[in-house]
mmCIF file of all heavy atoms in Angstrom:
data_model
loop_
_atom_site.group_PDB
_atom_site.id
_atom_site.type_symbol
_atom_site.label_atom_id
_atom_site.label_comp_id
_atom_site.label_asym_id
_atom_site.label_seq_id
_atom_site.Cartn_x
_atom_site.Cartn_y
_atom_site.Cartn_z
ATOM 1 N N MET J 1 7.970 19.669 51.352
ATOM 2 C CA MET J 1 8.817 20.383 52.272
ATOM 3 C C MET J 1 8.002 21.107 53.335
ATOM 4 O O MET J 1 8.157 22.252 53.530
ATOM 5 C CB MET J 1 9.633 21.381 51.487
ATOM 6 C CG MET J 1 10.257 20.719 50.303
ATOM 7 S SD MET J 1 10.337 21.736 49.012
ATOM 8 C CE MET J 1 10.592 21.321 47.619
ATOM 9 N N ARG J 2 7.154 20.570 54.045
ATOM 10 C CA ARG J 2 6.374 21.322 54.989
ATOM 11 C C ARG J 2 6.087 20.635 56.278
ATOM 12 O O ARG J 2 5.533 19.578 56.335
ATOM 13 C CB ARG J 2 5.011 21.549 54.490
ATOM 14 C CG ARG J 2 4.445 22.354 53.749
ATOM 15 C CD ARG J 2 4.466 23.109 52.677
ATOM 16 N NE ARG J 2 5.503 23.879 52.373
ATOM 17 C CZ ARG J 2 6.642 23.447 51.905
ATOM 18 N NH1 ARG J 2 6.929 22.286 51.796
ATOM 19 N NH2 ARG J 2 7.533 24.249 51.565
ATOM 20 N N GLY J 3 6.353 21.187 57.406
ATOM 21 C CA GLY J 3 6.050 20.610 58.691
ATOM 22 C C GLY J 3 4.882 21.338 59.261
ATOM 23 O O GLY J 3 4.996 22.431 59.689
ATOM 24 N N LEU J 4 3.776 20.807 59.289
ATOM 25 C CA LEU J 4 2.489 21.427 59.606
ATOM 26 C C LEU J 4 2.489 22.357 60.777
ATOM 27 O O LEU J 4 3.191 22.196 61.738
ATOM 28 C CB LEU J 4 1.484 20.346 59.923
ATOM 29 C CG LEU J 4 0.637 19.962 58.766
ATOM 30 C CD1 LEU J 4 -0.725 19.702 59.255
ATOM 31 C CD2 LEU J 4 0.696 20.954 57.711
ATOM 32 N N GLY J 9 -5.377 18.779 61.868
ATOM 33 C CA GLY J 9 -5.546 17.605 61.053
ATOM 34 C C GLY J 9 -4.980 17.557 59.671
ATOM 35 O O GLY J 9 -5.326 16.677 58.932
ATOM 36 N N LEU J 10 -4.166 18.503 59.218
ATOM 37 C CA LEU J 10 -3.668 18.408 57.852
ATOM 38 C C LEU J 10 -2.609 17.331 57.778
ATOM 39 O O LEU J 10 -1.652 17.342 58.529
ATOM 40 C CB LEU J 10 -3.079 19.754 57.426
ATOM 41 C CG LEU J 10 -2.525 19.791 56.011
ATOM 42 C CD1 LEU J 10 -3.607 19.412 55.012
ATOM 43 C CD2 LEU J 10 -1.983 21.170 55.696
ATOM 44 N N ARG J 11 -2.785 16.396 56.854
ATOM 45 C CA ARG J 11 -1.826 15.295 56.728
ATOM 46 C C ARG J 11 -0.928 15.552 55.532
ATOM 47 O O ARG J 11 -1.394 15.918 54.474
ATOM 48 C CB ARG J 11 -2.577 13.978 56.529
ATOM 49 C CG ARG J 11 -3.529 13.688 57.672
ATOM 50 C CD ARG J 11 -4.241 12.362 57.458
ATOM 51 N NE ARG J 11 -5.228 12.187 58.476
ATOM 52 C CZ ARG J 11 -6.512 12.041 58.235
ATOM 53 N NH1 ARG J 11 -6.961 12.066 57.016
ATOM 54 N NH2 ARG J 11 -7.363 11.902 59.224
ATOM 55 N N PRO J 12 0.391 15.338 55.687
ATOM 56 C CA PRO J 12 1.314 15.606 54.590
ATOM 57 C C PRO J 12 1.122 14.623 53.440
ATOM 58 O O PRO J 12 0.744 13.486 53.627
ATOM 59 C CB PRO J 12 2.695 15.429 55.245
ATOM 60 C CG PRO J 12 2.447 14.527 56.403
ATOM 61 C CD PRO J 12 1.060 14.844 56.892
ATOM 62 N N ALA J 13 1.435 15.122 52.221
ATOM 63 C CA ALA J 13 1.393 14.235 51.062
ATOM 64 C C ALA J 13 2.561 13.268 51.139
ATOM 65 O O ALA J 13 3.602 13.562 51.715
ATOM 66 C CB ALA J 13 1.486 15.061 49.779
ATOM 67 N N LEU J 14 2.412 12.106 50.551
ATOM 68 C CA LEU J 14 3.455 11.092 50.559
ATOM 69 C C LEU J 14 4.465 11.411 49.476
ATOM 70 O O LEU J 14 4.137 11.487 48.309
ATOM 71 C CB LEU J 14 2.833 9.711 50.301
ATOM 72 C CG LEU J 14 3.823 8.560 50.169
ATOM 73 C CD1 LEU J 14 4.584 8.380 51.473
ATOM 74 C CD2 LEU J 14 3.089 7.282 49.797
ATOM 75 N N ILE J 15 5.705 11.620 49.867
ATOM 76 C CA ILE J 15 6.781 11.865 48.908
ATOM 77 C C ILE J 15 7.879 10.872 49.222
ATOM 78 O O ILE J 15 8.488 10.939 50.276
ATOM 79 C CB ILE J 15 7.332 13.298 49.024
ATOM 80 C CG1 ILE J 15 6.188 14.312 48.884
ATOM 81 C CG2 ILE J 15 8.394 13.559 47.992
ATOM 82 C CD1 ILE J 15 6.648 15.741 49.047
ATOM 83 N N THR J 16 8.132 9.961 48.317
ATOM 84 C CA THR J 16 9.077 8.902 48.618
ATOM 85 C C THR J 16 10.100 8.750 47.518
ATOM 86 O O THR J 16 10.024 9.368 46.465
ATOM 87 C CB THR J 16 8.350 7.560 48.774
ATOM 88 O OG1 THR J 16 7.614 7.306 47.576
ATOM 89 C CG2 THR J 16 7.385 7.594 49.931
ATOM 90 N N GLY J 17 11.072 7.865 47.774
ATOM 91 C CA GLY J 17 12.056 7.507 46.765
ATOM 92 C C GLY J 17 12.850 8.698 46.281
ATOM 93 O O GLY J 17 13.230 9.584 47.015
ATOM 94 N N ALA J 19 11.980 11.197 44.631
ATOM 95 C CA ALA J 19 11.313 12.498 44.707
ATOM 96 C C ALA J 19 11.774 13.278 45.921
ATOM 97 O O ALA J 19 11.821 14.498 45.913
ATOM 98 C CB ALA J 19 9.799 12.310 44.758
ATOM 99 N N VAL J 20 12.158 12.580 47.020
ATOM 100 C CA VAL J 20 12.542 13.280 48.244
ATOM 101 C C VAL J 20 13.793 14.101 48.020
ATOM 102 O O VAL J 20 13.842 15.285 48.335
ATOM 103 C CB VAL J 20 12.784 12.270 49.384
ATOM 104 C CG1 VAL J 20 13.317 12.975 50.611
ATOM 105 C CG2 VAL J 20 11.485 11.550 49.713
ATOM 106 N N MET J 23 13.184 17.010 45.679
ATOM 107 C CA MET J 23 12.450 18.099 46.329
ATOM 108 C C MET J 23 13.391 18.920 47.197
ATOM 109 O O MET J 23 13.325 20.137 47.235
ATOM 110 C CB MET J 23 11.337 17.537 47.214
ATOM 111 C CG MET J 23 10.151 17.073 46.444
ATOM 112 S SD MET J 23 9.250 18.450 45.749
ATOM 113 C CE MET J 23 7.953 17.533 44.974
ATOM 114 N N ALA J 53 1.510 22.569 42.709
ATOM 115 C CA ALA J 53 0.479 21.736 43.337
ATOM 116 C C ALA J 53 -0.814 21.745 42.535
ATOM 117 O O ALA J 53 -1.899 21.609 43.081
ATOM 118 C CB ALA J 53 0.223 22.188 44.763
ATOM 119 N N ILE J 127 7.026 25.223 42.494
ATOM 120 C CA ILE J 127 6.554 24.222 43.442
ATOM 121 C C ILE J 127 6.251 24.904 44.772
ATOM 122 O O ILE J 127 7.056 25.683 45.287
ATOM 123 C CB ILE J 127 7.602 23.115 43.643
ATOM 124 C CG1 ILE J 127 7.743 22.290 42.368
ATOM 125 C CG2 ILE J 127 7.235 22.212 44.817
ATOM 126 C CD1 ILE J 127 8.832 21.242 42.418
ATOM 127 N N GLY J 128 5.085 24.634 45.327
ATOM 128 C CA GLY J 128 4.705 25.232 46.599
ATOM 129 C C GLY J 128 5.467 24.606 47.755
ATOM 130 O O GLY J 128 5.396 23.399 47.967
ATOM 131 N N ALA J 147 1.136 24.986 56.496
ATOM 132 C CA ALA J 147 1.427 23.676 55.906
ATOM 133 C C ALA J 147 2.789 23.778 55.240
ATOM 134 O O ALA J 147 2.996 24.601 54.355
ATOM 135 C CB ALA J 147 0.360 23.284 54.885
ATOM 136 N N GLU J 148 3.712 22.949 55.663
ATOM 137 C CA GLU J 148 5.076 23.020 55.149
ATOM 138 C C GLU J 148 5.570 21.679 54.608
ATOM 139 O O GLU J 148 6.762 21.404 54.599
ATOM 140 C CB GLU J 148 6.023 23.554 56.240
ATOM 141 C CG GLU J 148 5.722 24.994 56.620
ATOM 142 C CD GLU J 148 6.685 25.545 57.654
ATOM 143 O OE1 GLU J 148 7.208 24.744 58.465
ATOM 144 O OE2 GLU J 148 6.928 26.762 57.654
ATOM 145 N N GLN J 149 4.642 20.832 54.182
ATOM 146 C CA GLN J 149 5.020 19.595 53.501
ATOM 147 C C GLN J 149 4.839 19.825 52.009
ATOM 148 O O GLN J 149 3.721 19.921 51.524
ATOM 149 C CB GLN J 149 4.150 18.410 53.944
ATOM 150 C CG GLN J 149 4.415 17.940 55.362
ATOM 151 C CD GLN J 149 3.655 18.743 56.377
ATOM 152 O OE1 GLN J 149 2.684 19.407 56.053
ATOM 153 N NE2 GLN J 149 4.087 18.705 57.617
ATOM 154 N N SER J 150 5.937 19.907 51.285
ATOM 155 C CA SER J 150 5.884 20.236 49.860
ATOM 156 C C SER J 150 5.614 18.996 49.014
ATOM 157 O O SER J 150 5.970 17.890 49.422
ATOM 158 C CB SER J 150 7.219 20.846 49.451
ATOM 159 O OG SER J 150 7.216 21.200 48.105
ATOM 160 N N PRO J 151 5.002 19.187 47.828
ATOM 161 C CA PRO J 151 4.465 20.429 47.283
ATOM 162 C C PRO J 151 3.049 20.710 47.793
ATOM 163 O O PRO J 151 2.224 19.808 47.888
ATOM 164 C CB PRO J 151 4.458 20.192 45.779
ATOM 165 C CG PRO J 151 4.388 18.713 45.628
ATOM 166 C CD PRO J 151 5.009 18.105 46.855
ATOM 167 N N VAL J 152 2.794 21.976 48.109
ATOM 168 C CA VAL J 152 1.518 22.352 48.711
ATOM 169 C C VAL J 152 1.085 23.710 48.180
ATOM 170 O O VAL J 152 1.931 24.542 47.820
ATOM 171 C CB VAL J 152 1.645 22.385 50.254
ATOM 172 C CG1 VAL J 152 2.663 23.428 50.693
ATOM 173 C CG2 VAL J 152 0.307 22.612 50.918
ATOM 174 N N TYR J 153 -0.225 23.918 48.104
ATOM 175 C CA TYR J 153 -0.741 25.221 47.672
ATOM 176 C C TYR J 153 -2.079 25.454 48.358
ATOM 177 O O TYR J 153 -2.925 24.555 48.422
ATOM 178 C CB TYR J 153 -0.923 25.275 46.151
ATOM 179 C CG TYR J 153 -1.238 26.663 45.651
ATOM 180 C CD1 TYR J 153 -0.213 27.562 45.346
ATOM 181 C CD2 TYR J 153 -2.549 27.092 45.508
ATOM 182 C CE1 TYR J 153 -0.497 28.847 44.905
ATOM 183 C CE2 TYR J 153 -2.841 28.376 45.068
ATOM 184 C CZ TYR J 153 -1.807 29.247 44.772
ATOM 185 O OH TYR J 153 -2.092 30.521 44.341
ATOM 186 N N ILE J 163 -6.602 23.180 50.486
ATOM 187 C CA ILE J 163 -5.196 22.816 50.421
ATOM 188 C C ILE J 163 -5.009 21.719 49.376
ATOM 189 O O ILE J 163 -5.631 20.661 49.463
ATOM 190 C CB ILE J 163 -4.682 22.303 51.779
ATOM 191 C CG1 ILE J 163 -4.889 23.353 52.869
ATOM 192 C CG2 ILE J 163 -3.208 21.910 51.675
ATOM 193 C CD1 ILE J 163 -4.081 24.608 52.694
ATOM 194 N N THR J 164 -4.158 21.987 48.392
ATOM 195 C CA THR J 164 -3.866 20.996 47.356
ATOM 196 C C THR J 164 -2.455 20.463 47.559
ATOM 197 O O THR J 164 -1.507 21.233 47.682
ATOM 198 C CB THR J 164 -3.976 21.621 45.957
ATOM 199 O OG1 THR J 164 -5.300 22.145 45.782
ATOM 200 C CG2 THR J 164 -3.707 20.580 44.877
ATOM 201 N N LYS J 165 -2.342 19.139 47.620
ATOM 202 C CA LYS J 165 -1.047 18.502 47.823
ATOM 203 C C LYS J 165 -0.835 17.413 46.781
ATOM 204 O O LYS J 165 -1.722 16.605 46.543
ATOM 205 C CB LYS J 165 -0.960 17.898 49.224
ATOM 206 C CG LYS J 165 -1.081 18.923 50.341
ATOM 207 C CD LYS J 165 -0.910 18.295 51.699
ATOM 208 C CE LYS J 165 0.499 17.839 51.929
ATOM 209 N NZ LYS J 165 1.476 18.951 51.984
ATOM 210 N N GLN J 166 0.339 17.394 46.176
ATOM 211 C CA GLN J 166 0.697 16.342 45.248
ATOM 212 C C GLN J 166 1.092 15.083 46.018
ATOM 213 O O GLN J 166 1.706 15.155 47.089
ATOM 214 C CB GLN J 166 1.871 16.780 44.373
ATOM 215 C CG GLN J 166 1.588 18.043 43.564
ATOM 216 C CD GLN J 166 0.607 17.797 42.444
ATOM 217 O OE1 GLN J 166 0.982 17.431 41.357
ATOM 218 N NE2 GLN J 166 -0.661 18.003 42.718
ATOM 219 N N VAL J 167 0.733 13.928 45.495
ATOM 220 C CA VAL J 167 1.050 12.643 46.127
ATOM 221 C C VAL J 167 2.024 11.889 45.231
ATOM 222 O O VAL J 167 1.741 11.655 44.046
ATOM 223 C CB VAL J 167 -0.226 11.805 46.338
ATOM 224 C CG1 VAL J 167 0.123 10.477 46.974
ATOM 225 C CG2 VAL J 167 -1.217 12.564 47.224
ATOM 226 N N TYR J 168 3.173 11.526 45.795
ATOM 227 C CA TYR J 168 4.224 10.853 45.030
ATOM 228 C C TYR J 168 4.329 9.376 45.408
ATOM 229 O O TYR J 168 4.348 9.033 46.584
ATOM 230 C CB TYR J 168 5.576 11.528 45.280
ATOM 231 C CG TYR J 168 5.710 12.866 44.594
ATOM 232 C CD1 TYR J 168 5.192 14.011 45.182
ATOM 233 C CD2 TYR J 168 6.334 12.977 43.361
ATOM 234 C CE1 TYR J 168 5.296 15.246 44.565
ATOM 235 C CE2 TYR J 168 6.445 14.201 42.730
ATOM 236 C CZ TYR J 168 5.932 15.327 43.331
ATOM 237 O OH TYR J 168 6.025 16.556 42.710
ATOM 238 N N ALA J 169 4.408 8.546 44.394
ATOM 239 C CA ALA J 169 4.673 7.121 44.597
ATOM 240 C C ALA J 169 6.168 6.889 44.398
ATOM 241 O O ALA J 169 6.869 7.734 43.827
ATOM 242 C CB ALA J 169 3.871 6.291 43.594
ATOM 243 N N ASP J 172 8.482 8.293 41.337
ATOM 244 C CA ASP J 172 7.925 9.469 40.660
ATOM 245 C C ASP J 172 8.968 10.576 40.572
ATOM 246 O O ASP J 172 9.681 10.858 41.539
ATOM 247 C CB ASP J 172 6.713 10.017 41.418
ATOM 248 C CG ASP J 172 5.467 9.184 41.202
ATOM 249 O OD1 ASP J 172 5.512 8.264 40.350
ATOM 250 O OD2 ASP J 172 4.449 9.454 41.872
ATOM 251 N N ALA J 177 3.847 13.813 39.683
ATOM 252 C CA ALA J 177 3.270 13.077 40.809
ATOM 253 C C ALA J 177 2.221 12.085 40.324
ATOM 254 O O ALA J 177 1.627 12.255 39.263
ATOM 255 C CB ALA J 177 2.638 14.058 41.791
ATOM 256 N N SER J 178 1.985 11.067 41.120
ATOM 257 C CA SER J 178 1.010 10.036 40.750
ATOM 258 C C SER J 178 -0.428 10.460 41.028
ATOM 259 O O SER J 178 -1.367 9.944 40.427
ATOM 260 C CB SER J 178 1.293 8.739 41.517
ATOM 261 O OG SER J 178 2.540 8.209 41.148
ATOM 262 N N GLY J 179 -0.586 11.405 41.955
ATOM 263 C CA GLY J 179 -1.945 11.797 42.304
ATOM 264 C C GLY J 179 -1.989 13.118 43.044
ATOM 265 O O GLY J 179 -0.974 13.807 43.183
ATOM 266 N N GLU J 180 -3.169 13.445 43.516
ATOM 267 C CA GLU J 180 -3.378 14.724 44.174
ATOM 268 C C GLU J 180 -4.422 14.580 45.280
ATOM 269 O O GLU J 180 -5.443 13.923 45.104
ATOM 270 C CB GLU J 180 -3.854 15.737 43.138
ATOM 271 C CG GLU J 180 -4.317 17.062 43.679
ATOM 272 C CD GLU J 180 -4.873 17.958 42.586
ATOM 273 O OE1 GLU J 180 -4.060 18.585 41.884
ATOM 274 O OE2 GLU J 180 -6.105 18.002 42.408
ATOM 275 N N ASP J 181 -4.152 15.197 46.422
ATOM 276 C CA ASP J 181 -5.126 15.287 47.502
ATOM 277 C C ASP J 181 -5.590 16.730 47.615
ATOM 278 O O ASP J 181 -4.768 17.655 47.607
ATOM 279 C CB ASP J 181 -4.507 14.860 48.845
ATOM 280 C CG ASP J 181 -4.364 13.353 48.963
ATOM 281 O OD1 ASP J 181 -5.140 12.634 48.306
ATOM 282 O OD2 ASP J 181 -3.477 12.899 49.718
ATOM 283 N N VAL J 182 -6.894 16.921 47.716
ATOM 284 C CA VAL J 182 -7.459 18.250 47.935
ATOM 285 C C VAL J 182 -8.222 18.201 49.252
ATOM 286 O O VAL J 182 -9.185 17.441 49.388
ATOM 287 C CB VAL J 182 -8.389 18.680 46.789
ATOM 288 C CG1 VAL J 182 -9.002 20.042 47.091
ATOM 289 C CG2 VAL J 182 -7.627 18.725 45.464
ATOM 290 N N LEU J 183 -7.777 18.986 50.218
ATOM 291 C CA LEU J 183 -8.387 19.005 51.540
ATOM 292 C C LEU J 183 -9.082 20.336 51.753
ATOM 293 O O LEU J 183 -8.518 21.394 51.467
ATOM 294 C CB LEU J 183 -7.330 18.795 52.626
ATOM 295 C CG LEU J 183 -6.636 17.434 52.661
ATOM 296 C CD1 LEU J 183 -5.500 17.359 51.646
ATOM 297 C CD2 LEU J 183 -6.057 17.182 54.043
ATOM 298 N N TYR J 185 -10.971 22.941 54.442
ATOM 299 C CA TYR J 185 -11.058 23.290 55.850
ATOM 300 C C TYR J 185 -12.042 24.445 56.035
ATOM 301 O O TYR J 185 -12.073 25.381 55.228
ATOM 302 C CB TYR J 185 -9.689 23.724 56.389
ATOM 303 C CG TYR J 185 -8.700 22.600 56.491
ATOM 304 C CD1 TYR J 185 -7.918 22.238 55.392
ATOM 305 C CD2 TYR J 185 -8.535 21.889 57.674
ATOM 306 C CE1 TYR J 185 -7.008 21.195 55.475
ATOM 307 C CE2 TYR J 185 -7.626 20.851 57.764
ATOM 308 C CZ TYR J 185 -6.862 20.504 56.668
ATOM 309 O OH TYR J 185 -5.961 19.477 56.753
ATOM 310 N N ARG J 197 -12.382 15.928 51.813
ATOM 311 C CA ARG J 197 -11.106 15.441 51.280
ATOM 312 C C ARG J 197 -11.370 14.664 50.006
ATOM 313 O O ARG J 197 -12.253 13.799 49.959
ATOM 314 C CB ARG J 197 -10.406 14.565 52.317
ATOM 315 C CG ARG J 197 -9.110 13.912 51.844
ATOM 316 C CD ARG J 197 -8.588 12.977 52.919
ATOM 317 N NE ARG J 197 -8.144 13.722 54.084
ATOM 318 C CZ ARG J 197 -6.866 13.859 54.437
ATOM 319 N NH1 ARG J 197 -5.918 13.307 53.709
ATOM 320 N NH2 ARG J 197 -6.543 14.546 55.515
ATOM 321 N N THR J 198 -10.626 14.964 48.960
ATOM 322 C CA THR J 198 -10.765 14.248 47.692
ATOM 323 C C THR J 198 -9.393 13.827 47.187
ATOM 324 O O THR J 198 -8.442 14.618 47.241
ATOM 325 C CB THR J 198 -11.435 15.143 46.625
ATOM 326 O OG1 THR J 198 -12.718 15.547 47.074
ATOM 327 C CG2 THR J 198 -11.596 14.385 45.305
ATOM 328 N N HIS J 199 -9.284 12.585 46.728
ATOM 329 C CA HIS J 199 -8.035 12.113 46.128
ATOM 330 C C HIS J 199 -8.259 11.825 44.657
ATOM 331 O O HIS J 199 -9.259 11.213 44.270
ATOM 332 C CB HIS J 199 -7.543 10.838 46.814
ATOM 333 C CG HIS J 199 -6.329 10.246 46.137
ATOM 334 N ND1 HIS J 199 -5.075 10.789 46.273
ATOM 335 C CD2 HIS J 199 -6.207 9.197 45.279
ATOM 336 C CE1 HIS J 199 -4.223 10.090 45.540
ATOM 337 N NE2 HIS J 199 -4.879 9.120 44.933
ATOM 338 N N THR J 200 -7.336 12.282 43.834
ATOM 339 C CA THR J 200 -7.378 11.995 42.406
ATOM 340 C C THR J 200 -6.123 11.237 42.007
ATOM 341 O O THR J 200 -5.011 11.681 42.317
ATOM 342 C CB THR J 200 -7.475 13.295 41.575
ATOM 343 O OG1 THR J 200 -8.655 13.996 41.946
ATOM 344 C CG2 THR J 200 -7.521 12.984 40.085
ATOM 345 N N TYR J 202 -3.877 10.373 39.039
ATOM 346 C CA TYR J 202 -3.658 10.830 37.671
ATOM 347 C C TYR J 202 -3.603 9.675 36.672
ATOM 348 O O TYR J 202 -3.900 9.849 35.502
ATOM 349 C CB TYR J 202 -2.350 11.625 37.571
ATOM 350 C CG TYR J 202 -2.348 12.896 38.378
ATOM 351 C CD1 TYR J 202 -1.156 13.403 38.883
ATOM 352 C CD2 TYR J 202 -3.525 13.599 38.642
ATOM 353 C CE1 TYR J 202 -1.136 14.568 39.622
ATOM 354 C CE2 TYR J 202 -3.508 14.766 39.382
ATOM 355 C CZ TYR J 202 -2.318 15.250 39.867
ATOM 356 O OH TYR J 202 -2.281 16.404 40.606
#
Side-chain angles (χ1 to χ4, degrees):
M1 311 145 195
R2 276 37 314 74
L4 264 218
L10 180 58
R11 302 181 186 120
L14 175 63
I15 305 178
T16 57
V20 174
M23 283 289 181
I127 292 175
E148 294 182 331
Q149 289 84 19
S150 181
V152 62
Y153 189 87
I163 302 294
T164 301
K165 298 183 69 66
Q166 301 289 272
V167 179
Y168 286 83
D172 283 353
S178 296
E180 171 185 279
D181 284 334
V182 177
L183 294 82
Y185 290 86
R197 176 185 292 251
T198 301
H199 174 75
T200 300
Y202 296 151

